[in-house]
Amino acid sequence: MPDLWIIVTLLAAAFQTVRFMLQKVLATATLSPAGATFSRFIYSAPFIAALLALYMTLTQASLPALGARFWGFGLLGGTTQILATVCVVALFKARNFAVGITFKKTEVIQTVLVGVLLLGELVSWGGFAAIALGLVGLLLLSGGKEASGFRLSDLRNRAAGLGIASGVLFAFSAVSYRGATLSLATDDPLLRAGVTLMAVVLMQTLIMAVWLYFRESGEMARVWRARRVALWIGLTSMGGSLCWFIAFTLQNAAYVKALGQIELILSVLASTLFFREKITAREACGIAVLVASILLLILAI
């Protein structure tokens, strides 16, 4: 049997692909990017709370102490994840689903760098070579539909900016969540993941509720009216987030995010089969180069 972190990472990628598909539907037809993001948190919180309570009852586990380090990492991870998700949902309106997810997945390259910054986890020279190759793929993807060649000016367009921003923010989120789970004084990875996830989702729900109340009046009412679809966003979000948190508890965030690149394949299938979107030759080449950089990164780490 594969290691547990491998299994839960593959499950997380599958859950996340479905969730982003549902959020794309809501963001393009019903809700704003912030509203679609809020729906993820508000509809997943009850399921997470119930699951955590059931697990603690069955295992007779007690709640571990939640120190300042835990709350600091949790708040940083939760806030950056909110901003990253808003960027991705907004990106769906500018480019197709597969390319949007590919921009987001530059996080795997950036997670290595953020890991060095926050947790002191170093990478080899091979890792830096993978980062350089990933930048080539990013340049290919950053141009418009008619773009040709390489131009740094391509990175100035809105789609590229949203994609790069989401990658940076998701990288900070992943490393912060690993830091939060490791700060808990328990050897149970499921309890670590569940407690961290519950605390983070509660903070995210509160932050988004305050934002929508003051900045997007009426959006929370639209989130409620969209509950038939948003409820499934909550369920898939809970499944994906729990799997990611378990993986972060068991393994280095860079390894987890590298394996999670299987989401690229799933997103291409979703883009072509579900949304009936076409991928240009340039975009396909960019995806291929970025995938190659990810594979090189896996070998390097």
Side-chain angles (χ1 to χ4, degrees):
M1 287 289 292
D3 289 342
L4 178 59
W5 78 270
I6 294 177
I7 297 173
V8 295
T9 299
L10 296 177
L11 288 174
F15 277 123
Q16 188 158 288
T17 300
V18 176
R19 174 171 61 79
F20 275 126
M21 289 171 63
L22 293 170
Q23 284 183 304
K24 176 179 170 68
V25 171
L26 285 183
T28 55
T30 307
L31 304 177
S32 70
T37 302
F38 177 65
S39 67
R40 168 192 176 180
F41 304 129
I42 190 66
Y43 285 108
S44 66
F47 297 109
I48 296 170
L51 188 63
L52 177 60
L54 177 62
Y55 180 79
M56 293 182 67
T57 300
L58 294 176
T59 60
Q60 297 183 335
S62 58
L63 186 69
L66 309 180
R69 182 178 176 85
F70 170 84
W71 289 110
F73 272 124
L75 182 59
L76 176 60
T79 304
T80 52
Q81 186 180 34
I82 288 173
L83 297 174
T85 305
V86 170
C87 287
V88 171
V89 176
L91 176 58
F92 289 153
K93 295 185 177 182
R95 299 293 287 274
N96 72 38
F97 183 76
V99 176
I101 289 294
T102 304
F103 269 126
K104 172 197 167 295
K105 297 311 287 185
T106 59
E107 68 182 296
V108 69
I109 298 170
Q110 297 173 64
T111 298
V112 178
L113 301 177
V114 176
V116 174
L117 177 64
L118 293 186
L119 301 180
E121 297 174 341
L122 301 176
V123 298
S124 66
W125 284 108
F128 285 108
I131 292 172
L133 183 60
L135 291 177
V136 175
L138 184 58
L139 282 171
L140 283 170
L141 284 168
S142 62
K145 295 292 184 180
E146 306 299 325
S148 60
F150 294 93
R151 295 191 303 272
L152 290 177
S153 61
D154 287 340
L155 293 174
R156 297 175 184 172
N157 68 62
R158 182 170 182 269
L162 287 170
I164 295 170
S166 70
V168 173
L169 292 166
F170 272 123
F172 271 96
S173 177
V175 176
S176 297
Y177 288 154
R178 174 167 170 77
T181 60
L182 294 180
S183 71
L184 296 177
T186 174
D187 294 328
D188 186 343
L190 298 180
L191 182 60
R192 278 182 173 181
V195 170
T196 305
L197 179 58
M198 186 71 260
V200 167
V201 168
L202 287 177
M203 287 190 288
Q204 290 172 321
T205 302
L206 179 60
I207 291 171
M208 289 299 299
V210 172
W211 172 267
L212 291 177
Y213 179 80
F214 287 104
R215 300 302 298 269
E216 297 188 28
S217 178
E219 188 65 18
M220 284 194 285
R222 287 188 284 273
V223 170
W224 172 250
R225 289 195 294 269
R227 60 188 178 277
R228 290 187 178 181
V229 175
L231 182 64
W232 290 104
I233 290 178
L235 284 170
T236 54
S237 176
M238 179 197 68
S241 296
L242 184 59
C243 288
W244 285 124
F245 276 58
I246 294 172
F248 290 145
T249 299
L250 297 171
Q251 186 54 269
N252 183 295
Y255 283 87
V256 173
K257 287 298 183 180
L259 180 59
Q261 298 315 296
I262 193 173
E263 186 184 347
L264 277 173
I265 300 174
L266 300 177
S267 67
V268 170
L269 292 175
S271 182
T272 56
L273 299 178
F274 185 81
F275 294 113
R276 305 295 182 184
E277 296 170 336
K278 294 183 179 180
I279 299 175
T280 67
R282 179 189 174 100
E283 290 169 345
C285 184
I287 291 174
V289 173
L290 195 55
V291 169
S293 76
I294 291 163
L295 293 176
L296 178 59
L297 185 63
I298 293 173
L299 294 175
I301 61 178

